[in-house]
Amino acid sequence: MVSNKVELALNKQIEFEAASSQYYLAMASWAETQGLTGVAEFLYAQSNEERMHMLKLIKYVNERGGKALIPALKEQPQKFKSVHFVFEEVLKHEVFVSNEINGLVEICLKEKDYTTHNFLQWYVAEQIEEEAMARKVLDKLKLIGDDKGGMYLFDRDLPSIAGPAAGRGGK
Ligand code: OFO
């Protein structure tokens, strides 16, 4: 059974995962309209990943005798300044989520909820991967700068640049 404090914190996290999924979906759709097929494909996959993170939490809360709350959808931006900006946002967002997960872990320790603490270790590891992936993509973008040919190749190769750390599929 989860305590009220843990249930509340897990529900907050459900909200963050849902927000991540929606945000990445908006980015993916924007990229698709810019002809950036590879970037779009990558971000659609990221959006699905975040939805899966949300679902995992929903099921956990309900299984542990709590009640998962399904968050409302918020309006998302229609436009993004650039691909660089998009991935800067992805990194910023992932760092934010990592901090929230750490806070959640701390609450579990305070509440002596070792079961949820154990469950959350998957998220801790996932965040390390996702932050590393966002940094890797940003490093590539810095190398490209404003070079259009570079962007063409980046878009084409993004799935392989991101590699397994992007969690494309397998989780
Ligand atoms: Fe990358 O946010 Fe989920 O955990």
Side-chain angles (χ1 to χ4, degrees):
M1 187 89 189
V2 280
S3 70
N4 285 346
K5 266 193 192 155
V6 171
E7 183 178 354
L8 205 79
L10 287 171
N11 269 313
K12 203 79 210 126
Q13 193 58 37
I14 288 173
E15 220 177 296
F16 294 140
E17 302 292 347
S20 306
S21 179
Q22 287 295 103
Y23 197 27
Y24 297 165
L25 188 59
M27 291 172 175
S29 177
W30 169 81
E32 194 163 50
T33 62
Q34 304 301 302
L36 296 159
T37 322
V39 173
E41 191 198 317
F42 174 83
L43 289 165
Y44 279 130
Q46 285 306 118
S47 170
N48 278 342
E49 284 283 320
E50 298 300 348
R51 185 168 190 279
M52 192 271 285
H53 297 171
M54 175 191 71
L55 277 178
K56 209 173 153 90
L57 278 159
I58 290 172
K59 289 186 178 162
Y60 179 80
V61 172
N62 290 339
E63 263 168 22
R64 300 282 304 147
K67 195 169 184 297
L69 304 174
I70 309 304
L73 297 178
K74 290 198 184 106
E75 201 176 334
Q76 298 297 319
Q78 312 274 324
K79 278 189 213 153
F80 295 88
K81 270 190 286 196
S82 65
V83 176
H84 290 64
F85 175 78
V86 162
F87 283 98
E88 269 159 19
E89 281 294 289
V90 169
L91 178 59
K92 229 199 276 172
H93 195 73
E94 291 301 331
V95 169
F96 166 78
V97 171
S98 297
N99 289 337
E100 293 301 322
I101 300 269
N102 288 340
L104 198 42
V105 168
E106 215 176 295
I107 292 172
C108 290
L109 287 177
K110 274 194 196 133
E111 293 285 293
K112 296 193 180 359
D113 182 345
Y114 302 113
T115 312
T116 306
H117 180 273
N118 187 47
F119 166 79
L120 287 173
Q121 294 315 301
W122 183 88
Y123 286 84
V124 171
E126 181 72 10
Q127 284 311 118
I128 296 171
E129 276 189 16
E130 291 194 336
E131 277 191 37
M133 183 271 299
R135 287 197 179 91
K136 196 164 144 187
V137 174
L138 271 176
D139 284 346
K140 297 282 174 203
L141 283 170
K142 272 180 209 143
L143 283 176
I144 294 165
D146 290 330
D147 180 52
K148 286 220 165 81
M151 183 53 75
Y152 175 83
L153 295 175
F154 169 83
D155 182 58
R156 192 194 64 184
D157 296 343
L158 183 57
S160 55
I161 293 172
R168 302 170 72 79
K171 285 179 291 175

